């Protein structure tokens, strides 16, 4: 068995990243999802260990000191980060791990794990992005405009990624995402161990 | 629509490359297959334009002079080569073209088309390879030994390839091969045109 892969997934709010990931994990339950550690309070509907580990500020700062994070960020006075250990364990056990992370976090992880494969999820069009950002509820035009600008700033950094998946139709995008994950295992440097196995059976 | 891709497929005799390609084309008839030009006489069961174009030695030498071949080789006094034009037309029209080629031919094409993605097909084990090379009929042990050595020499050059597919179970190997083809379209440099389209819809 060869080593697993790390897949960094980014995309602006409104790209449909979360729905895409749900479809991917439903079809391929063997894939692992990196659970972020965060210091903000739990919100309604959230559960410890599902998408986030809710930890104290002290614990988080201790993790930073001990180099236990692959990346971290402060957002509205709260820490968000990716614990290193589960990712390393996944790799060693030959499993693939998906890390949902913003463009800055992805850049941090790439420096630490140069073999990480990065995928940027694009909305199908700007018109659709605008529609999705507007339809969330009762936001003001100003807030929607601000979100759209944020999304455009992220999209401008899509060139830093290895792959771009346009999230037009969920099933198609999930299939594309899985093709990226599957093909990563077939890269020659990842297959050398398997090749030696084949050759040793003579 | 982005540009198509060129996929070089090699593998020793006994790797099951042909069966794998049949499965791939059956599942994905939109893929194109590069038809080689050769000067040897047609054999029973072969048809012009199916797997080969049967052309004269003079015509072949003229193609060499006019740089109309991506690669060519002489084998037992006959020329074998890959015409350049159909490959370039496929790329321009956004289609993917598979070129079945030996390790030397693949090396020649890589120099001319650095974006070509190359895949080496491995037999599942040496024991199985031996079995496949033996079961073809009434060959002598010496001939089988010679074929096995040929296969091993080719396998030693698998490291020159981008991907390695171990052809254990045809359906799995075909799925892996298709994942390589699909993911190639999603590479960021290939998606830039599509990205500009998305951004222009505002």
């Amino acid at each position: 068995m060869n080593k697993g892969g790390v897949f960094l997934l980014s995309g602006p709010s409104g790209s449909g990243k979360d729905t895409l990931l749900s479809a991917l994990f439903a079809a391929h339950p063997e894939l692992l999802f990196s659970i972020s550690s965060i210091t903000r309070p739990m919100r309604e509907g959230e559960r410890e260990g599902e998408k986030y580990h809710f930890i104290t500020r002290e614990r988080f700062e201790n993790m930073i000191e001990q180099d236990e994070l692959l990346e971290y960020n402060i957002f509205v006075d709260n820490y968000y980060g990716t614990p290193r250990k589960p990712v390393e364990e996944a790799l060693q056990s030959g499993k693939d791990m998906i890390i949902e992370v913003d463009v800055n976090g992805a850049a941090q992880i790439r420096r630490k794990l140069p073999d990480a494969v990065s995928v940027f999820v694009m909305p199908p069009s700007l018109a659709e992005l605008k529609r999705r950002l507007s339809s969330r509820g009762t936001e003001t035009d100003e807030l929607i405009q601000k979100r759209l600008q944020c999304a455009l700033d992220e999209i401008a950094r899509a060139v830093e990624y290895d792959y771009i998946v346009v999230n037009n139709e969920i099933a198609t995008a999930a299939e594309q995402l899985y093709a990226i994950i599957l093909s990563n295992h077939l890269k020659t440097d990842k297959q050398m161990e398997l090749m030696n196995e084949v050759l040793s059976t003579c």
Side-chain angles (χ1 to χ4, degrees), chain A residues 40-71:
Chain A
R40 72 156 168 75
M42 206 182 286
R43 290 176 192 154
E44 218 186 294
E46 288 182 335
R47 267 196 245 174
E48 161 61 27
E50 204 171 63
K51 198 166 174 182
Y52 301 111
H53 290 303
F54 297 90
I55 65 175
T56 63
R57 204 177 169 89
E58 292 64 41
R59 173 71 190 111
F60 202 104
E61 285 168 353
N62 187 255
M63 288 180 85
I64 297 175
E65 267 169 44
Q66 303 292 319
D67 195 24
E68 291 175 19
L69 294 161
L70 284 176
E71 59 85 29

Side-chain angles (χ1 to χ4, degrees), chain A residues 67-95:
Chain A
D67 195 24
E68 291 175 19
L69 294 161
L70 284 176
E71 59 85 29
Y72 69 94
N73 232 315
I74 298 184
F75 184 69
V76 200
D77 221 28
N78 284 303
Y79 285 115
Y80 291 75
T82 303
R84 176 195 292 272
K85 208 175 154 198
V87 176
E88 290 179 343
E89 285 172 353
L91 287 182
Q92 285 307 325
S93 67
K95 300 211 171 176

Side-chain angles (χ1 to χ4, degrees), chain A residues 3-8 32-35 70 82-99 109 113 116:
Chain A
K3 272 178 74 178
V6 170
F7 299 87
L8 311 176
L32 300 178
F33 179 74
S34 161
I35 297 167
L70 284 176
T82 303
R84 176 195 292 272
K85 208 175 154 198
V87 176
E88 290 179 343
E89 285 172 353
L91 287 182
Q92 285 307 325
S93 67
K95 300 211 171 176
D96 292 313
M97 171 139 328
I98 319 282
I99 307 178
I109 297 181
L113 302 176

Side-chain angles (χ1 to χ4, degrees), chain A residues 36 58 65 81 193 201:
Chain A
S36 301
E58 292 64 41
E65 267 169 44
E193 203 177 314
T201 57

Side-chain angles (χ1 to χ4, degrees), chain A residues 156-172:
Chain A
R157 291 183 63 180
V159 290
E160 298 172 18
Y161 287 71
D162 298 313
Y163 295 95
I164 294 175
V165 168
V166 178
N167 193 9
N168 200 345
E169 210 264 307
I170 287 285
T172 306

Side-chain angles (χ1 to χ4, degrees), chain A residues 138-150:
Chain A
T138 55
E139 286 95 344
T140 60
D141 276 1
E142 198 190 352
L143 189 61
I144 291 167
Q145 209 47 49
K146 205 174 149 188
R147 280 197 183 150
L148 190 63
Q149 191 50 54
C150 253

